[in-house]
Amino acid sequence: MKIQHFADIPLEDVDVEGATKTKIRWLISQKDKAPNFALRMFEVEAGGHTPFHQHEWEHEAFVLQGSGVLITEEDEKEFQQWDVIFIDPNLKHQFKNTGDSMMRFLCAIPHKEKDISKQNPLGGAEVNNC
Amino acid sequence: MKIQHFADIPLEDVDVEGATKTKIRWLISQKDKAPNFALRMFEVEAGGHTPFHQHEWEHEAFVLQGSGVLITEEDEKEFQQWDVIFIDPNLKHQFKNTGDSMMRFLCAIPHKEKDISKQNPLGGAEVNNC
């Protein structure tokens, strides 16, 4: 069990290709012995964005602060504070901050490897983005 | 894929024994074809609380607004806005609003039944609490 303020959890660069002005905090991960999925917070500065990419796992996201657009292969939709966002597995997507202040959102993903005995530290660089 | 404001998602009573002044919104569930886990929002009025109970699944929670205490079989800890809470499987727990205004938190849980073809509507009454 843990209770921890978000600001006390390390803020790490998201340095994958296609990401800019974006950082991540792994709020809950396999390090906490979470058995099924991880909860991350993304912090995207004004003008920043995550990579336009796709993967086999879904995203369950919640916009804490700021606003932006979600770009997918289908269309482009605006989002605002306290919006809920679900992105299906394999759908190409990108989160873009179109506001003039920090945009923060939560994003939960399933573990790639459920065996917590392996203590995959943070799921690896491949999932260190959204 | 969906983007939806939280307030447009139905607010349902949590009427399990031991819960008071507590409501739930199923933000993302198997209805959305989420394959692995569900994201819910709980709204607990001043003086309200979830039941003191335990179950086999974990909670990954994030406090959006308000403050309270998390009571477990081990101890009692305060939480505040933008705190992260992880509750291990099988740990007895209760969320209590000790403030004088609404307390809202997100709480993600794994699906009990991963087969989305069954379209388990909202996971059933057993998981309609936190």
Side-chain angles (χ1 to χ4, degrees):
Chain A
M1 195 271 286
K2 82 165 180 183
I3 299 181
Q4 196 169 14
H5 198 55
F6 86 100
D8 296 329
I9 294 171
L11 184 63
E12 302 171 54
D13 287 327
V14 174
D15 51 11
V16 295
E17 195 180 331
T20 179
K21 298 182 179 179
T22 298
K23 297 192 177 192
I24 185 174
R25 298 180 199 268
W26 285 81
L27 303 183
I28 300 172
S29 70
Q30 285 176 304
K31 276 188 174 173
D32 302 300
K33 298 194 172 24
N36 291 297
F37 53 93
L39 182 65
R40 300 96 46 86
M41 181 189 291
F42 284 86
E43 303 194 0
V44 184
E45 288 175 45
H49 56 75
T50 65
F52 186 50
H53 71 160
Q54 69 190 126
H55 41 66
E56 288 174 5
W57 54 91
E58 71 277 22
H59 283 324
E60 301 195 12
F62 186 88
V63 183
L64 295 170
Q65 175 186 342
S67 60
V69 294
L70 180 72
I71 298 167
T72 69
E73 55 203 280
E74 294 168 357
D75 56 13
E76 191 171 317
K77 281 188 179 153
E78 293 182 358
F79 60 79
Q80 58 176 317
Q81 194 179 30
W82 285 40
D83 274 358
V84 178
I85 301 175
F86 174 65
I87 300 172
D88 299 86
N90 298 309
L91 181 68
K92 207 167 176 182
H93 61 278
Q94 179 179 46
F95 291 82
K96 198 174 265 194
N97 183 350
T98 53
D100 53 11
S101 61
M102 178 75 85
M103 187 260 286
R104 286 191 170 98
F105 65 98
L106 300 176
C107 181
I109 56 168
H111 296 329
K112 288 192 74 176
E113 175 57 75
K114 294 281 170 71
D115 182 358
I116 62 169
S117 67
K118 291 188 180 171
Q119 285 290 313
N120 182 356
L122 289 174
E126 192 185 342
V127 296
N128 208 18
N129 56 64
C130 199
Chain B
M1 196 271 287
K2 82 166 180 183
I3 298 180
Q4 195 169 12
H5 198 55
F6 85 99
D8 295 330
I9 295 171
L11 183 63
E12 302 172 53
D13 288 326
V14 174
D15 51 12
V16 294
E17 195 180 332
T20 180
K21 298 182 179 180
T22 297
K23 297 192 176 190
I24 185 174
R25 299 180 199 268
W26 286 80
L27 304 183
I28 300 171
S29 70
Q30 286 176 304
K31 276 188 173 172
D32 302 299
K33 298 197 173 19
N36 291 298
F37 52 94
L39 182 65
R40 300 95 48 85
M41 181 189 290
F42 285 86
E43 303 193 0
V44 184
E45 288 174 44
H49 55 76
T50 65
F52 186 49
H53 71 160
Q54 68 190 124
H55 40 66
E56 287 173 6
W57 54 91
E58 72 277 22
H59 283 324
E60 301 195 12
F62 186 89
V63 183
L64 294 169
Q65 175 186 341
S67 60
V69 292
L70 180 72
I71 299 167
T72 68
E73 55 203 276
E74 294 168 358
D75 56 12
E76 190 170 318
K77 282 189 179 151
E78 293 183 357
F79 59 78
Q80 58 176 314
Q81 195 179 30
W82 285 39
D83 274 357
V84 179
I85 300 175
F86 174 65
I87 300 173
D88 299 86
N90 298 309
L91 182 68
K92 207 166 175 182
H93 60 278
Q94 178 179 48
F95 292 81
K96 197 174 266 194
N97 183 349
T98 54
D100 53 9
S101 61
M102 179 75 86
M103 189 260 287
R104 286 190 170 99
F105 65 98
L106 300 177
C107 180
I109 56 169
H111 297 329
K112 287 192 74 172
E113 175 56 74
K114 295 281 170 70
D115 182 358
I116 62 170
S117 68
K118 292 188 179 171
Q119 285 290 312
N120 181 357
L122 288 176
E126 193 184 343
V127 296
N128 209 16
N129 56 62
C130 199

Short mmCIF file of all heavy atoms in Angstrom, two decimals, chain A residues 62-63 79-85, chain B residues 3-10 25 27 41:
data_model
loop_
_atom_site.label_atom_id
_atom_site.label_comp_id
_atom_site.label_asym_id
_atom_site.label_seq_id
_atom_site.Cartn_x
_atom_site.Cartn_y
_atom_site.Cartn_z
N PHE A 62 -7.07 10.45 -18.32
CA PHE A 62 -7.92 11.45 -17.67
C PHE A 62 -7.14 12.76 -17.64
O PHE A 62 -6.00 12.81 -17.16
CB PHE A 62 -8.27 11.00 -16.25
CG PHE A 62 -9.26 11.89 -15.56
CD1 PHE A 62 -10.62 11.66 -15.69
CD2 PHE A 62 -8.84 12.96 -14.80
CE1 PHE A 62 -11.55 12.49 -15.07
CE2 PHE A 62 -9.76 13.80 -14.17
CZ PHE A 62 -11.11 13.56 -14.31
N VAL A 63 -7.75 13.82 -18.15
CA VAL A 63 -7.06 15.11 -18.27
C VAL A 63 -7.19 15.88 -16.96
O VAL A 63 -8.29 16.29 -16.57
CB VAL A 63 -7.64 15.94 -19.44
CG1 VAL A 63 -6.86 17.25 -19.59
CG2 VAL A 63 -7.62 15.13 -20.73
N PHE A 79 -9.67 18.15 -26.43
CA PHE A 79 -10.03 17.71 -25.08
C PHE A 79 -9.70 18.82 -24.10
O PHE A 79 -8.90 19.71 -24.37
CB PHE A 79 -9.33 16.40 -24.71
CG PHE A 79 -7.82 16.44 -24.74
CD1 PHE A 79 -7.09 17.00 -23.70
CD2 PHE A 79 -7.12 15.90 -25.81
CE1 PHE A 79 -5.71 17.03 -23.73
CE2 PHE A 79 -5.73 15.92 -25.84
CZ PHE A 79 -5.02 16.49 -24.80
N GLN A 80 -10.37 18.73 -22.94
CA GLN A 80 -10.21 19.75 -21.90
C GLN A 80 -10.09 19.09 -20.53
O GLN A 80 -10.21 17.86 -20.42
CB GLN A 80 -11.41 20.69 -21.93
CG GLN A 80 -12.73 19.94 -21.72
CD GLN A 80 -13.94 20.85 -21.65
OE1 GLN A 80 -13.89 21.89 -21.00
NE2 GLN A 80 -15.02 20.47 -22.31
N GLN A 81 -9.91 19.93 -19.53
CA GLN A 81 -9.77 19.45 -18.16
C GLN A 81 -10.94 18.56 -17.74
O GLN A 81 -12.09 18.88 -18.01
CB GLN A 81 -9.70 20.66 -17.23
CG GLN A 81 -9.21 20.32 -15.85
CD GLN A 81 -9.13 21.53 -14.95
OE1 GLN A 81 -9.88 22.48 -15.10
NE2 GLN A 81 -8.21 21.51 -14.00
N TRP A 82 -10.60 17.44 -17.11
CA TRP A 82 -11.55 16.46 -16.58
C TRP A 82 -12.31 15.73 -17.69
O TRP A 82 -13.41 15.23 -17.48
CB TRP A 82 -12.49 17.06 -15.52
CG TRP A 82 -11.80 17.28 -14.20
CD1 TRP A 82 -10.53 17.74 -14.01
CD2 TRP A 82 -12.31 17.03 -12.88
NE1 TRP A 82 -10.22 17.79 -12.67
CE2 TRP A 82 -11.30 17.37 -11.95
CE3 TRP A 82 -13.51 16.57 -12.40
CZ2 TRP A 82 -11.46 17.26 -10.57
CZ3 TRP A 82 -13.69 16.46 -11.02
CH2 TRP A 82 -12.67 16.80 -10.12
N ASP A 83 -11.70 15.66 -18.87
CA ASP A 83 -12.20 14.76 -19.90
C ASP A 83 -11.58 13.38 -19.70
O ASP A 83 -10.44 13.26 -19.24
CB ASP A 83 -11.81 15.26 -21.31
CG ASP A 83 -12.80 16.27 -21.87
OD1 ASP A 83 -13.81 16.56 -21.20
OD2 ASP A 83 -12.54 16.78 -22.98
N VAL A 84 -12.35 12.39 -20.10
CA VAL A 84 -11.92 11.00 -20.07
C VAL A 84 -11.57 10.59 -21.49
O VAL A 84 -12.30 10.92 -22.41
CB VAL A 84 -13.09 10.11 -19.59
CG1 VAL A 84 -12.70 8.65 -19.58
CG2 VAL A 84 -13.59 10.58 -18.23
N ILE A 85 -10.46 9.90 -21.67
CA ILE A 85 -10.05 9.49 -23.02
C ILE A 85 -9.73 7.99 -23.02
O ILE A 85 -8.92 7.53 -22.21
CB ILE A 85 -8.82 10.29 -23.49
CG1 ILE A 85 -9.13 11.79 -23.50
CG2 ILE A 85 -8.36 9.81 -24.87
CD1 ILE A 85 -7.93 12.68 -23.84
N ILE B 3 -13.70 10.38 -26.29
CA ILE B 3 -13.36 11.51 -25.41
C ILE B 3 -14.69 11.98 -24.86
O ILE B 3 -15.61 12.28 -25.63
CB ILE B 3 -12.68 12.65 -26.18
CG1 ILE B 3 -11.36 12.19 -26.80
CG2 ILE B 3 -12.44 13.84 -25.24
CD1 ILE B 3 -10.62 13.28 -27.56
N GLN B 4 -14.79 12.03 -23.55
CA GLN B 4 -16.08 12.39 -22.95
C GLN B 4 -15.80 13.14 -21.65
O GLN B 4 -14.90 12.77 -20.88
CB GLN B 4 -16.85 11.10 -22.66
CG GLN B 4 -18.31 11.31 -22.38
CD GLN B 4 -19.10 9.99 -22.36
OE1 GLN B 4 -18.53 8.91 -22.33
NE2 GLN B 4 -20.41 10.10 -22.36
N HIS B 5 -16.58 14.20 -21.43
CA HIS B 5 -16.40 14.93 -20.18
C HIS B 5 -16.98 14.10 -19.03
O HIS B 5 -18.03 13.48 -19.20
CB HIS B 5 -17.06 16.31 -20.27
CG HIS B 5 -16.56 17.25 -19.22
ND1 HIS B 5 -15.22 17.55 -19.06
CD2 HIS B 5 -17.20 17.96 -18.27
CE1 HIS B 5 -15.08 18.40 -18.06
NE2 HIS B 5 -16.25 18.65 -17.55
N PHE B 6 -16.30 14.12 -17.89
CA PHE B 6 -16.73 13.24 -16.78
C PHE B 6 -18.20 13.45 -16.41
O PHE B 6 -18.90 12.51 -16.07
CB PHE B 6 -15.83 13.47 -15.55
CG PHE B 6 -16.25 14.60 -14.68
CD1 PHE B 6 -16.98 14.38 -13.52
CD2 PHE B 6 -15.96 15.92 -15.02
CE1 PHE B 6 -17.40 15.43 -12.71
CE2 PHE B 6 -16.38 16.97 -14.22
CZ PHE B 6 -17.09 16.73 -13.07
N ALA B 7 -18.65 14.72 -16.48
CA ALA B 7 -20.01 15.05 -16.03
C ALA B 7 -21.08 14.47 -16.95
O ALA B 7 -22.25 14.39 -16.56
CB ALA B 7 -20.17 16.56 -15.91
N ASP B 8 -20.67 14.04 -18.14
CA ASP B 8 -21.64 13.46 -19.08
C ASP B 8 -21.76 11.95 -18.90
O ASP B 8 -22.48 11.28 -19.64
CB ASP B 8 -21.22 13.77 -20.53
CG ASP B 8 -21.29 15.26 -20.81
OD1 ASP B 8 -22.13 15.94 -20.18
OD2 ASP B 8 -20.48 15.75 -21.63
N ILE B 9 -21.03 11.41 -17.94
CA ILE B 9 -21.08 9.97 -17.67
C ILE B 9 -21.97 9.76 -16.44
O ILE B 9 -21.83 10.48 -15.44
CB ILE B 9 -19.65 9.43 -17.46
CG1 ILE B 9 -18.88 9.57 -18.79
CG2 ILE B 9 -19.67 7.98 -16.97
CD1 ILE B 9 -17.40 9.29 -18.70
N PRO B 10 -22.91 8.80 -16.52
CA PRO B 10 -23.91 8.66 -15.46
C PRO B 10 -23.31 8.54 -14.05
O PRO B 10 -22.30 7.87 -13.86
CB PRO B 10 -24.65 7.37 -15.85
CG PRO B 10 -24.49 7.28 -17.32
CD PRO B 10 -23.12 7.84 -17.62
N ARG B 25 -19.05 6.95 -11.05
CA ARG B 25 -19.18 7.06 -12.51
C ARG B 25 -18.21 6.05 -13.12
O ARG B 25 -17.02 6.09 -12.79
CB ARG B 25 -18.77 8.45 -13.02
CG ARG B 25 -19.60 9.60 -12.47
CD ARG B 25 -19.10 10.93 -13.05
NE ARG B 25 -19.54 12.06 -12.27
CZ ARG B 25 -20.68 12.76 -12.50
NH1 ARG B 25 -21.44 12.42 -13.51
NH2 ARG B 25 -21.02 13.77 -11.74
N LEU B 27 -16.14 5.61 -15.79
CA LEU B 27 -15.59 6.45 -16.87
C LEU B 27 -15.22 5.61 -18.09
O LEU B 27 -15.52 5.98 -19.23
CB LEU B 27 -14.37 7.21 -16.36
CG LEU B 27 -14.55 8.09 -15.12
CD1 LEU B 27 -13.25 8.83 -14.81
CD2 LEU B 27 -15.69 9.09 -15.29
N MET B 41 -14.79 6.95 -11.34
CA MET B 41 -14.65 8.12 -10.47
C MET B 41 -15.64 7.95 -9.31
O MET B 41 -16.82 7.68 -9.53
CB MET B 41 -14.97 9.41 -11.22
CG MET B 41 -14.80 10.66 -10.31
SD MET B 41 -15.41 12.19 -11.08
CE MET B 41 -14.21 12.44 -12.37
#
